[in-house]
Amino acid sequence: MTAKYRAAALSTEDGWTEVIDNGFIALVGPFYTRTDGGHIEVAVVCQDKHRNRRGIVQGGLVMTFADRALGIAARAHSGAPTTATVHLDVHFVAPVHVGDVLRARPHTAPGTRSLLFMRTDLSVEDTLVATATGVFKPLRTAPLVDE
């Protein structure tokens, strides 16, 4: 399956919306979100700019994607306009290749009054490629810059 064919799978007709962010994510994205059966799903089409010197997708992209996917779900769960990552733990299971569509379906575990505990599997099609857990602090102040 070619990258062009896979990118078409992230169309608005399938419910995907591009995450608009003019900061760091604009450099590594675009990332996409949709709600599927009441669950948030986040995706990125891995491009040549994401590869490392071995020709596979750089682990830093996978970690950035995991952080943003968990943060998106934490904001949705808490209703806060923004969150701060307190802790992020990523475990790599399999390589991700240029052209792959990396997906996450984050969910919230029981937390405290001031912290959210998040978890997601990262997958390419039906293959688990990484797992991520994170702790997020909902912030009740508006973001300093527009996304």
Side-chain angles (χ1 to χ4, degrees):
M1 191 179 291
T2 68
K4 186 179 279 188
Y5 178 82
R6 288 182 181 177
L10 299 181
S11 72
T12 56
E13 294 163 357
D14 292 328
W16 292 104
T17 301
E18 185 175 340
V19 174
I20 303 301
D21 184 324
N22 295 323
F24 180 68
I25 299 305
L27 298 173
V28 297
F31 293 169
Y32 299 88
T33 62
R34 72 177 177 181
T35 302
D36 182 25
H39 297 283
I40 292 174
E41 186 172 15
V42 186
V44 61
V45 178
C46 298
Q47 302 171 37
D48 192 58
K49 69 179 180 178
H50 298 133
R51 69 172 172 78
N52 62 20
R53 294 187 307 164
R54 291 180 25 234
I56 61 172
V57 171
Q58 175 70 34
L61 179 270
V62 176
M63 291 188 295
T64 297
F65 175 73
D67 183 42
R68 181 50 65 105
L70 292 173
I72 287 169
R75 281 198 322 263
H77 179 80
S78 68
T82 187
T83 60
T85 306
V86 175
H87 176 82
L88 180 67
D89 192 23
V90 179
H91 295 263
F92 299 97
V93 177
V96 179
H97 302 279
V98 172
D100 286 347
V101 178
L102 181 61
R103 295 180 191 226
R105 290 180 55 111
H107 60 276
T108 308
T112 69
R113 289 175 40 195
S114 62
L115 296 174
L116 295 170
F117 295 85
M118 308 298 297
R119 182 186 188 298
T120 193
D121 289 338
L122 304 175
S123 62
V124 173
E125 295 181 2
D126 293 329
T127 301
L128 177 69
V129 297
T131 63
T133 57
V135 180
F136 291 79
K137 169 95 175 141
L139 303 173
R140 300 296 171 195
T141 58
L144 296 176
V145 294
D146 292 331
E147 288 192 295

